Amino acid sequence: MHPFIEHLVKDHAEQRTLGRQLKDARNPDDRKRLREKMGVELLPHMAGEEASIFSYMRASGTANAKEHALEAIQEHHVGRIVLSELQALTLDSEVFSAKAAVLSELNQHHMEEEEREHFPWLEKNASTDELDTLFEQYKAAEQSAE
């Protein structure tokens, strides 16, 4: 597995854990800490994927890859909306856990598609040099979003 894909899979594992913790958090201090961490982890990751993977897929010339990339970008859009709404809630809101659960479920669905479809497609269609370049594009966009 290319180091770029390994990095993304590792990020996904951290996001899965964080999503479960946020959904289950009841203590206001835990909710605040986990909500902030989710934003710090998720937003740069999405920016990085959009600047690298999804840009590459859109430009690939295959209709199926382009369609998958456009759908994934829309899933990011919805994730940003739900995260923004979660960040606007008071820590004792009665919908906090429900909103966190929806964010976690959206993100889980998205990550599963990436790992099952997008990453194998990338490894099959992109050369090692292209994956190296995509990793650099990812890291640059991720840092800009922090």
Side-chain angles (χ1 to χ4, degrees):
M1 184 180 296
H2 189 274
F4 180 32
I5 305 301
E6 288 176 356
H7 175 85
L8 295 170
V9 170
K10 181 178 176 269
D11 276 1
H12 287 179
E14 292 170 8
Q15 289 174 27
R16 283 182 177 95
T17 298
L18 188 55
R20 283 190 301 273
Q21 291 172 338
L22 183 60
K23 177 180 66 172
D24 295 339
R26 297 295 180 256
N27 178 293
D29 291 336
D30 291 339
R31 284 180 167 185
K32 182 178 180 182
R33 177 182 53 81
L34 292 165
R35 178 176 66 183
E36 288 172 5
K37 188 170 182 180
M38 181 62 91
V40 167
E41 295 291 328
L42 197 54
L43 295 173
H45 179 85
M46 289 192 284
E49 286 183 339
E50 290 168 12
S52 61
I53 297 170
F54 303 136
S55 178
Y56 182 85
M57 290 173 71
R58 288 178 73 182
S60 72
T62 66
N64 191 41
K66 183 177 181 179
E67 183 179 325
H68 278 270
L70 292 171
E71 180 182 321
I73 291 167
Q74 289 306 304
E75 289 172 351
H76 279 183
H77 173 71
V78 172
R80 284 184 181 97
I81 291 170
V82 176
L83 177 61
S84 174
E85 291 175 354
L86 182 66
Q87 290 171 328
L89 291 175
T90 60
L91 297 170
D92 62 349
S93 171
E94 69 177 358
V95 298
F96 189 98
S97 292
K99 185 83 63 179
V102 168
L103 178 61
S104 180
E105 290 167 11
L106 287 168
N107 199 36
Q108 178 68 29
H109 165 80
H110 177 78
M111 292 183 297
E112 287 172 2
E113 280 186 344
E114 286 181 338
E115 292 169 3
R116 185 180 64 247
E117 298 171 20
H118 304 161
F119 298 168
W121 183 90
L122 277 170
E123 289 200 300
K124 179 181 176 188
N125 291 283
S127 69
T128 300
D129 287 343
E130 287 173 317
L131 287 169
D132 291 343
T133 299
L134 291 174
F135 198 9
E136 292 305 315
Q137 291 170 341
Y138 173 89
K139 290 187 280 192
E142 187 180 49
Q143 287 178 343
S144 294
E146 290 178 344

